mmCIF file of all heavy atoms in Angstrom:
data_model
loop_
_atom_site.group_PDB
_atom_site.id
_atom_site.type_symbol
_atom_site.label_atom_id
_atom_site.label_comp_id
_atom_site.label_asym_id
_atom_site.label_seq_id
_atom_site.Cartn_x
_atom_site.Cartn_y
_atom_site.Cartn_z
ATOM 1 N N ASN K 15 40.090 90.103 98.283
ATOM 2 C CA ASN K 15 39.790 89.052 99.242
ATOM 3 C C ASN K 15 38.312 89.085 99.596
ATOM 4 O O ASN K 15 37.764 90.097 99.980
ATOM 5 C CB ASN K 15 40.629 89.229 100.508
ATOM 6 C CG ASN K 15 40.440 88.078 101.464
ATOM 7 O OD1 ASN K 15 39.614 87.187 101.236
ATOM 8 N ND2 ASN K 15 41.190 88.094 102.531
ATOM 9 N N LYS K 16 37.662 87.915 99.481
ATOM 10 C CA LYS K 16 36.235 87.817 99.752
ATOM 11 C C LYS K 16 35.932 87.312 101.154
ATOM 12 O O LYS K 16 34.817 87.025 101.484
ATOM 13 C CB LYS K 16 35.578 86.870 98.735
ATOM 14 C CG LYS K 16 35.720 87.307 97.290
ATOM 15 C CD LYS K 16 34.815 88.463 96.965
ATOM 16 C CE LYS K 16 34.748 88.696 95.480
ATOM 17 N NZ LYS K 16 35.279 89.910 95.020
ATOM 18 N N GLY K 17 36.958 87.134 102.004
ATOM 19 C CA GLY K 17 36.723 86.743 103.380
ATOM 20 C C GLY K 17 36.448 85.253 103.563
ATOM 21 O O GLY K 17 35.641 84.874 104.387
ATOM 22 N N GLY K 18 37.109 84.383 102.814
ATOM 23 C CA GLY K 18 36.929 82.944 102.960
ATOM 24 C C GLY K 18 37.599 82.427 104.224
ATOM 25 O O GLY K 18 38.183 83.175 105.004
ATOM 26 N N THR K 19 37.519 81.111 104.424
ATOM 27 C CA THR K 19 38.072 80.500 105.631
ATOM 28 C C THR K 19 39.513 80.038 105.448
ATOM 29 O O THR K 19 40.177 79.724 106.426
ATOM 30 C CB THR K 19 37.249 79.272 106.033
ATOM 31 O OG1 THR K 19 37.302 78.310 104.976
ATOM 32 C CG2 THR K 19 35.816 79.649 106.330
ATOM 33 N N GLY K 20 39.980 79.946 104.227
ATOM 34 C CA GLY K 20 41.317 79.437 103.987
ATOM 35 C C GLY K 20 41.390 77.922 104.026
ATOM 36 O O GLY K 20 42.453 77.361 104.280
ATOM 37 N N LEU K 21 40.279 77.261 103.784
ATOM 38 C CA LEU K 21 40.251 75.795 103.805
ATOM 39 C C LEU K 21 40.120 75.153 102.434
ATOM 40 O O LEU K 21 40.535 74.015 102.251
ATOM 41 C CB LEU K 21 39.090 75.300 104.679
ATOM 42 C CG LEU K 21 39.286 75.440 106.167
ATOM 43 C CD1 LEU K 21 38.009 75.060 106.904
ATOM 44 C CD2 LEU K 21 40.430 74.574 106.635
ATOM 45 N N GLY K 22 39.569 75.833 101.477
ATOM 46 C CA GLY K 22 39.244 75.224 100.179
ATOM 47 C C GLY K 22 40.409 74.550 99.493
ATOM 48 O O GLY K 22 40.327 73.376 99.098
ATOM 49 N N LEU K 23 41.515 75.244 99.325
ATOM 50 C CA LEU K 23 42.658 74.648 98.627
ATOM 51 C C LEU K 23 43.341 73.574 99.463
ATOM 52 O O LEU K 23 43.844 72.595 98.923
ATOM 53 C CB LEU K 23 43.661 75.728 98.233
ATOM 54 C CG LEU K 23 43.205 76.635 97.090
ATOM 55 C CD1 LEU K 23 44.182 77.793 96.902
ATOM 56 C CD2 LEU K 23 43.050 75.846 95.805
ATOM 57 N N ALA K 24 43.308 73.708 100.788
ATOM 58 C CA ALA K 24 43.886 72.681 101.658
ATOM 59 C C ALA K 24 43.092 71.389 101.544
ATOM 60 O O ALA K 24 43.657 70.295 101.450
ATOM 61 C CB ALA K 24 43.924 73.163 103.112
ATOM 62 N N VAL K 25 41.765 71.487 101.530
ATOM 63 C CA VAL K 25 40.905 70.306 101.383
ATOM 64 C C VAL K 25 41.118 69.694 100.007
ATOM 65 O O VAL K 25 41.235 68.464 99.870
ATOM 66 C CB VAL K 25 39.425 70.663 101.617
ATOM 67 C CG1 VAL K 25 38.521 69.527 101.233
ATOM 68 C CG2 VAL K 25 39.204 71.062 103.072
ATOM 69 N N ALA K 26 41.174 70.514 98.975
ATOM 70 C CA ALA K 26 41.416 70.004 97.620
ATOM 71 C C ALA K 26 42.746 69.254 97.553
ATOM 72 O O ALA K 26 42.837 68.166 96.989
ATOM 73 C CB ALA K 26 41.398 71.145 96.602
ATOM 74 N N LYS K 27 43.782 69.825 98.148
ATOM 75 C CA LYS K 27 45.101 69.190 98.139
ATOM 76 C C LYS K 27 45.065 67.848 98.857
ATOM 77 O O LYS K 27 45.581 66.853 98.358
ATOM 78 C CB LYS K 27 46.141 70.118 98.793
ATOM 79 C CG LYS K 27 47.546 69.548 98.815
ATOM 80 C CD LYS K 27 48.522 70.555 99.403
ATOM 81 C CE LYS K 27 49.937 70.067 99.258
ATOM 82 N NZ LYS K 27 50.468 69.538 100.494
ATOM 83 N N ASP K 28 44.443 67.800 100.042
ATOM 84 C CA ASP K 28 44.333 66.548 100.786
ATOM 85 C C ASP K 28 43.602 65.494 99.970
ATOM 86 O O ASP K 28 44.026 64.335 99.908
ATOM 87 C CB ASP K 28 43.614 66.757 102.117
ATOM 88 C CG ASP K 28 44.458 67.501 103.153
ATOM 89 O OD1 ASP K 28 45.683 67.643 102.931
ATOM 90 O OD2 ASP K 28 43.889 67.934 104.160
ATOM 91 N N PHE K 29 42.495 65.857 99.335
ATOM 92 C CA PHE K 29 41.710 64.907 98.549
ATOM 93 C C PHE K 29 42.501 64.399 97.354
ATOM 94 O O PHE K 29 42.571 63.198 97.096
ATOM 95 C CB PHE K 29 40.401 65.554 98.076
ATOM 96 C CG PHE K 29 39.576 64.644 97.244
ATOM 97 C CD1 PHE K 29 38.793 63.669 97.836
ATOM 98 C CD2 PHE K 29 39.612 64.743 95.856
ATOM 99 C CE1 PHE K 29 38.048 62.801 97.050
ATOM 100 C CE2 PHE K 29 38.864 63.877 95.080
ATOM 101 C CZ PHE K 29 38.079 62.907 95.672
ATOM 102 N N ILE K 30 43.120 65.307 96.622
ATOM 103 C CA ILE K 30 43.869 64.927 95.419
ATOM 104 C C ILE K 30 45.065 64.034 95.792
ATOM 105 O O ILE K 30 45.314 63.014 95.140
ATOM 106 C CB ILE K 30 44.305 66.182 94.645
ATOM 107 C CG1 ILE K 30 43.068 66.824 94.010
ATOM 108 C CG2 ILE K 30 45.359 65.856 93.587
ATOM 109 C CD1 ILE K 30 43.275 68.241 93.519
ATOM 110 N N GLU K 31 45.784 64.390 96.838
ATOM 111 C CA GLU K 31 46.919 63.587 97.254
ATOM 112 C C GLU K 31 46.482 62.217 97.781
ATOM 113 O O GLU K 31 47.192 61.222 97.606
ATOM 114 C CB GLU K 31 47.767 64.332 98.291
ATOM 115 C CG GLU K 31 48.541 65.472 97.655
ATOM 116 C CD GLU K 31 49.386 66.278 98.634
ATOM 117 O OE1 GLU K 31 49.246 66.068 99.871
ATOM 118 O OE2 GLU K 31 50.176 67.097 98.156
ATOM 119 N N ALA K 32 45.315 62.135 98.416
ATOM 120 C CA ALA K 32 44.787 60.844 98.894
ATOM 121 C C ALA K 32 44.486 59.903 97.732
ATOM 122 O O ALA K 32 44.507 58.676 97.907
ATOM 123 C CB ALA K 32 43.532 61.071 99.735
ATOM 124 N N GLN K 33 44.277 60.466 96.538
ATOM 125 C CA GLN K 33 44.017 59.664 95.343
ATOM 126 C C GLN K 33 45.296 59.375 94.552
ATOM 127 O O GLN K 33 45.267 58.848 93.452
ATOM 128 C CB GLN K 33 43.019 60.387 94.420
ATOM 129 C CG GLN K 33 41.734 60.857 95.072
ATOM 130 C CD GLN K 33 41.022 59.739 95.810
ATOM 131 O OE1 GLN K 33 40.819 58.653 95.282
ATOM 132 N NE2 GLN K 33 40.650 59.997 97.052
ATOM 133 N N GLY K 34 46.433 59.777 95.119
ATOM 134 C CA GLY K 34 47.723 59.564 94.450
ATOM 135 C C GLY K 34 48.089 60.665 93.464
ATOM 136 O O GLY K 34 48.993 60.494 92.661
ATOM 137 N N GLY K 35 47.410 61.791 93.556
ATOM 138 C CA GLY K 35 47.671 62.898 92.634
ATOM 139 C C GLY K 35 48.479 64.014 93.255
ATOM 140 O O GLY K 35 49.015 63.890 94.351
ATOM 141 N N LYS K 36 48.548 65.113 92.526
ATOM 142 C CA LYS K 36 49.243 66.310 93.022
ATOM 143 C C LYS K 36 48.572 67.545 92.465
ATOM 144 O O LYS K 36 47.895 67.500 91.442
ATOM 145 C CB LYS K 36 50.724 66.276 92.665
ATOM 146 C CG LYS K 36 51.041 66.216 91.192
ATOM 147 C CD LYS K 36 52.547 66.093 90.961
ATOM 148 C CE LYS K 36 52.835 65.985 89.473
ATOM 149 N NZ LYS K 36 54.273 65.960 89.219
ATOM 150 N N ILE K 37 48.769 68.661 93.158
ATOM 151 C CA ILE K 37 48.161 69.933 92.763
ATOM 152 C C ILE K 37 49.182 71.039 92.970
ATOM 153 O O ILE K 37 50.006 70.978 93.893
ATOM 154 C CB ILE K 37 46.872 70.229 93.577
ATOM 155 C CG1 ILE K 37 46.185 71.516 93.104
ATOM 156 C CG2 ILE K 37 47.158 70.259 95.072
ATOM 157 C CD1 ILE K 37 44.804 71.750 93.714
ATOM 158 N N TRP K 38 49.142 72.037 92.094
ATOM 159 C CA TRP K 38 50.021 73.193 92.238
ATOM 160 C C TRP K 38 49.406 74.377 91.486
ATOM 161 O O TRP K 38 48.398 74.241 90.804
ATOM 162 C CB TRP K 38 51.426 72.885 91.715
ATOM 163 C CG TRP K 38 51.557 72.650 90.234
ATOM 164 C CD1 TRP K 38 51.901 73.569 89.285
ATOM 165 C CD2 TRP K 38 51.361 71.416 89.535
ATOM 166 N NE1 TRP K 38 51.926 72.975 88.048
ATOM 167 C CE2 TRP K 38 51.598 71.647 88.175
ATOM 168 C CE3 TRP K 38 50.990 70.120 89.931
ATOM 169 C CZ2 TRP K 38 51.480 70.657 87.205
ATOM 170 C CZ3 TRP K 38 50.867 69.137 88.976
ATOM 171 C CH2 TRP K 38 51.128 69.417 87.627
ATOM 172 N N VAL K 39 50.024 75.525 91.662
ATOM 173 C CA VAL K 39 49.542 76.741 90.986
ATOM 174 C C VAL K 39 50.703 77.344 90.209
ATOM 175 O O VAL K 39 51.866 77.272 90.606
ATOM 176 C CB VAL K 39 48.984 77.765 92.014
ATOM 177 C CG1 VAL K 39 50.058 78.273 92.956
ATOM 178 C CG2 VAL K 39 48.290 78.932 91.316
ATOM 179 N N GLU K 40 50.372 77.922 89.073
ATOM 180 C CA GLU K 40 51.296 78.730 88.277
ATOM 181 C C GLU K 40 50.669 80.107 88.191
ATOM 182 O O GLU K 40 49.549 80.247 87.699
ATOM 183 C CB GLU K 40 51.495 78.120 86.889
ATOM 184 C CG GLU K 40 52.181 76.763 86.942
ATOM 185 C CD GLU K 40 52.293 76.088 85.591
ATOM 186 O OE1 GLU K 40 51.745 76.614 84.597
ATOM 187 O OE2 GLU K 40 52.919 75.022 85.527
ATOM 188 N N SER K 41 51.366 81.098 88.706
ATOM 189 C CA SER K 41 50.772 82.443 88.755
ATOM 190 C C SER K 41 51.855 83.485 88.998
ATOM 191 O O SER K 41 52.913 83.182 89.563
ATOM 192 C CB SER K 41 49.760 82.499 89.912
ATOM 193 O OG SER K 41 49.118 83.745 89.956
ATOM 194 N N ALA K 42 51.564 84.679 88.593
ATOM 195 C CA ALA K 42 52.408 85.845 88.875
ATOM 196 C C ALA K 42 51.472 87.032 89.053
ATOM 197 O O ALA K 42 50.368 87.060 88.484
ATOM 198 C CB ALA K 42 53.389 86.105 87.734
ATOM 199 N N LEU K 43 51.894 87.982 89.847
ATOM 200 C CA LEU K 43 51.066 89.163 90.077
ATOM 201 C C LEU K 43 50.736 89.855 88.763
ATOM 202 O O LEU K 43 51.601 90.033 87.910
ATOM 203 C CB LEU K 43 51.777 90.119 91.032
ATOM 204 C CG LEU K 43 51.885 89.620 92.464
ATOM 205 C CD1 LEU K 43 52.733 90.583 93.299
ATOM 206 C CD2 LEU K 43 50.513 89.438 93.092
ATOM 207 N N GLY K 44 49.476 90.190 88.587
ATOM 208 C CA GLY K 44 49.027 90.878 87.392
ATOM 209 C C GLY K 44 48.782 89.982 86.182
ATOM 210 O O GLY K 44 48.427 90.467 85.113
#
């Protein structure tokens, strides 16, 4: 953890959804 604000992905999601899009993550530990 680099100590961010926790806003980056929320802002990205709002912007993408405002354009009629969608965003998600595919990930697993390691």
Side-chain angles (χ1 to χ4, degrees):
N15 186 355
K16 300 285 192 245
T19 62
L21 286 173
L23 288 172
V25 170
K27 181 177 187 257
D28 287 347
F29 179 80
I30 290 165
E31 288 179 350
Q33 308 307 311
K36 59 184 178 176
I37 184 171
W38 67 95
V39 65
E40 295 175 354
S41 183
L43 291 174

